[in-house]
Short mmCIF file of all heavy atoms in Angstrom, two decimals:
data_model
loop_
_atom_site.label_atom_id
_atom_site.label_comp_id
_atom_site.label_asym_id
_atom_site.label_seq_id
_atom_site.Cartn_x
_atom_site.Cartn_y
_atom_site.Cartn_z
N ASP S 17 -47.15 56.38 -7.30
CA ASP S 17 -47.15 56.01 -5.89
C ASP S 17 -45.70 55.84 -5.41
O ASP S 17 -44.90 55.20 -6.10
CB ASP S 17 -47.92 54.69 -5.74
CG ASP S 17 -48.26 54.40 -4.30
OD1 ASP S 17 -47.30 54.24 -3.50
OD2 ASP S 17 -49.45 54.34 -4.01
N TRP S 94 -37.09 61.73 -6.67
CA TRP S 94 -37.95 60.99 -7.62
C TRP S 94 -37.10 60.11 -8.53
O TRP S 94 -37.43 58.96 -8.79
CB TRP S 94 -38.78 61.98 -8.44
CG TRP S 94 -39.96 61.34 -9.10
CD1 TRP S 94 -41.20 61.15 -8.57
CD2 TRP S 94 -40.00 60.77 -10.43
NE1 TRP S 94 -42.01 60.52 -9.48
CE2 TRP S 94 -41.30 60.28 -10.63
CE3 TRP S 94 -39.06 60.65 -11.45
CZ2 TRP S 94 -41.70 59.66 -11.81
CZ3 TRP S 94 -39.45 60.03 -12.63
CH2 TRP S 94 -40.76 59.54 -12.80
N ARG S 124 -27.73 73.33 -3.66
CA ARG S 124 -27.57 73.33 -5.11
C ARG S 124 -27.75 71.93 -5.67
O ARG S 124 -27.28 70.95 -5.09
CB ARG S 124 -26.18 73.87 -5.48
CG ARG S 124 -26.06 75.36 -5.26
CD ARG S 124 -24.67 75.85 -5.52
NE ARG S 124 -24.65 77.31 -5.65
CZ ARG S 124 -23.56 78.04 -5.79
NH1 ARG S 124 -22.36 77.46 -5.82
NH2 ARG S 124 -23.65 79.34 -5.91
N MET S 135 -25.30 59.93 -13.85
CA MET S 135 -24.47 58.89 -14.46
C MET S 135 -25.22 57.54 -14.49
O MET S 135 -25.14 56.79 -15.46
CB MET S 135 -23.16 58.77 -13.66
CG MET S 135 -22.14 57.80 -14.16
SD MET S 135 -21.59 58.02 -15.87
CE MET S 135 -20.73 59.57 -15.85
N LEU S 144 -25.70 65.34 -20.68
CA LEU S 144 -26.34 66.17 -19.66
C LEU S 144 -26.09 67.61 -20.10
O LEU S 144 -24.94 68.05 -20.21
CB LEU S 144 -25.68 65.90 -18.30
CG LEU S 144 -25.81 66.97 -17.20
CD1 LEU S 144 -27.28 67.21 -16.84
CD2 LEU S 144 -25.03 66.55 -15.95
N THR S 162 -15.44 67.95 -12.45
CA THR S 162 -14.03 67.54 -12.51
C THR S 162 -13.72 66.57 -11.37
O THR S 162 -13.10 65.52 -11.56
CB THR S 162 -13.11 68.78 -12.43
OG1 THR S 162 -13.49 69.66 -13.48
CG2 THR S 162 -11.64 68.42 -12.56
N GLN S 166 -16.18 61.41 -14.11
CA GLN S 166 -16.67 60.36 -15.00
C GLN S 166 -17.33 60.87 -16.27
O GLN S 166 -17.60 60.10 -17.18
CB GLN S 166 -17.66 59.47 -14.24
CG GLN S 166 -17.00 58.71 -13.09
CD GLN S 166 -18.00 57.87 -12.32
OE1 GLN S 166 -18.88 57.25 -12.89
NE2 GLN S 166 -17.87 57.86 -11.00
N LEU S 176 -31.88 72.34 -29.46
CA LEU S 176 -32.86 72.86 -30.42
C LEU S 176 -32.18 73.37 -31.70
O LEU S 176 -32.81 74.09 -32.47
CB LEU S 176 -33.65 74.00 -29.77
CG LEU S 176 -34.69 73.55 -28.75
CD1 LEU S 176 -35.11 74.71 -27.86
CD2 LEU S 176 -35.90 72.96 -29.45
N PHE S 189 -36.69 81.74 -18.08
CA PHE S 189 -35.56 82.43 -17.45
C PHE S 189 -34.56 82.89 -18.49
O PHE S 189 -34.00 83.98 -18.37
CB PHE S 189 -34.91 81.56 -16.37
CG PHE S 189 -35.59 81.70 -15.04
CD1 PHE S 189 -36.86 81.18 -14.82
CD2 PHE S 189 -34.99 82.39 -14.00
CE1 PHE S 189 -37.51 81.34 -13.60
CE2 PHE S 189 -35.63 82.56 -12.78
CZ PHE S 189 -36.89 82.02 -12.57
#
Side-chain angles (χ1 to χ4, degrees):
D17 194 298
W94 198 87
R124 288 176 165 175
M135 183 56 66
L144 159 61
T162 304
Q166 296 178 40
L176 285 162
F189 274 71

